[in-house]
Amino acid sequence: MEQKDLISAAPFPGFSRLKPGLEQCLSALHCLPYFIQYLEYCKSVRLLHFLFACDTFTEASEKCHHGNSIQCDALDIYSRFISMNSTHAISLPENVRRTVENNISPEDGKVDCRVFEPAITHVKHVLTDYHVPKFLRSSYCTSAQLELCRKELVLADVLLCESAIPFLMEYLEYRSEENHVLFWVSVEAFQEHLRGSAGSASVEELGNDAIALYDTYLSLQARKPVNYGRIIRGIVESSICPDNGIITPDAFLIAQQYCYHYMNKFFFEAYLRSDQYKRYLNELRLQLETRRREERTLRLNSAAATRTSAKEVTSKMESLAVSSSPSPKPAMFLPAPPRGDSPSSSKASSPASQKRNRGTTQKSPSTSKAEVEEQGEDILDDRKFWSIPESDYTLSAVDEWGVYQTQDRHLLNTPQGSEKLKKSVMKLFGKEEITEEAAVEQAKSIVADVMSLTSQPTNWEDLLLDS
């Protein structure tokens, strides 16, 4: 192929199928099946079904001239993907959904073939911004790359893919021809800078960058010459030094196309048989295994988290069911009635049960000394005051020899017992000569104090237990 043939050859593709965008994912035969599998894995394949249905609708509506057939098809797509009760909802914003509804039912009754255009634009934005970047990092994309490499890989696929071009660069370095790749990359960077500046860069700055690129690769004194000949050099000179002084992004386009076809003719076929390319394929296989392992682990963790969440929900529901059910009332243990009284007529519980329930039952209000004095003849009666009521308890004492002896409680209710109890009270206060009236007053004071702390103030058995 002569130099003029290389110059007039068809432009090279402006994208790499190893790094597909949305349009390549939707149209490339090597990529579309894997993109569908990825969306199925993400449970978002309905987005793709919607786009395909809209494409079919657009093609059919352009050929059909009957309004009622077009509207029926539009309503079918709307009911499947857009309506509130749709079976394959695509979660459109409310304003987009209402716009589509208005387009389907216009006032003049004529349905346009672009009725779903707002929804299509939104879905493509979701796919481009969210799903395509994640697809490129998935095992599904790596599988598509391996399939492309086995079938129809072209030079543009390598030059425009960041992960593939280093292996081509290494191969050309081995053959001392790396300047071609360096020139290609430099032109790409210059064009990106020129497009990105959007007029903000000065004419002088752009001119300096263009001249530096020309001097490095194309001039007769170039430090990294590519040797593309006089014709290419003249075209570039006229492009970077125009009469109006404005440098355009395609100033090096002809030289870049020539570089592409030159590498494709002299190096690319040999590169596909090189060890560098085989290492690139091995790296893709290792990447595929790694990504599949990571995705498998992610699925297992997600399934385990789902099971754990389900168990927690079930446990909470069970606890709510238990807490909402009426709880049985606790059993109430009534104290046994005193001896000689029937259960129905007894009003006071036994001292033992009072002692057991003292920590859980509510105490009656305390009794003051004035209230004790007002309790009438029962407490002021000398015989009843010094007597001890019937109970299951016994009085005991240790004599002067240290012997534990049980006292007969019936003896205490006799006049001799009452006299003995009076003497014990006198001895308690250390006054042997205390009068009987003073002893009664002291005893009443003690009884009133004890009664203020107990729930049964007139029960002597409680006083004995507290002591």
Side-chain angles (χ1 to χ4, degrees), residues 410-449:
H410 300 288
L411 178 62
L412 294 177
N413 290 332
T414 60
Q416 294 83 358
S418 299
E419 186 67 24
K420 186 176 182 180
L421 186 59
K422 293 179 184 178
K423 292 182 179 180
S424 299
V425 172
M426 297 177 185
K427 186 176 182 181
L428 177 65
F429 291 94
K431 297 182 179 180
E432 296 293 342
E433 302 298 330
I434 190 170
T435 63
E436 182 176 343
E437 291 77 7
V440 171
E441 292 299 326
Q442 292 289 347
K444 288 181 179 181
S445 177
I446 294 174
V447 171
D449 291 339

Side-chain angles (χ1 to χ4, degrees), residues 183 210-211 213-215 218-219 228 230-242 250-256:
F183 174 71
I211 292 174
L213 183 58
Y214 170 82
D215 290 340
L218 298 173
S219 69
Y228 290 157
R230 178 179 53 84
I231 298 177
I232 298 297
R233 186 167 57 250
I235 294 174
V236 173
E237 288 174 354
S238 61
S239 298
I240 63 177
C241 298
D250 58 353
F252 291 91
L253 181 60
I254 300 297
Q256 189 181 28

Side-chain angles (χ1 to χ4, degrees), residues 47 49-59 61 69-83 90 92 96-105 111-124:
L47 299 176
H49 292 166
F50 170 73
L51 292 181
F52 292 157
C54 290
D55 289 341
T56 304
F57 168 79
T58 302
E59 294 176 1
S61 60
S69 298
I70 294 176
Q71 191 173 34
C72 290
D73 294 340
L75 288 174
D76 179 66
I77 295 176
Y78 173 81
S79 62
R80 280 194 294 155
F81 299 102
I82 300 178
S83 70
I90 56 176
L92 291 176
V96 176
R97 187 176 65 83
R98 292 189 177 275
T99 302
V100 173
E101 291 177 352
N102 296 332
N103 293 341
I104 293 177
S105 303
V111 179
D112 191 4
C113 63
R114 298 183 299 273
V115 61
F116 295 108
E117 197 63 33
I120 293 173
T121 302
H122 174 77
V123 169
K124 286 186 175 182

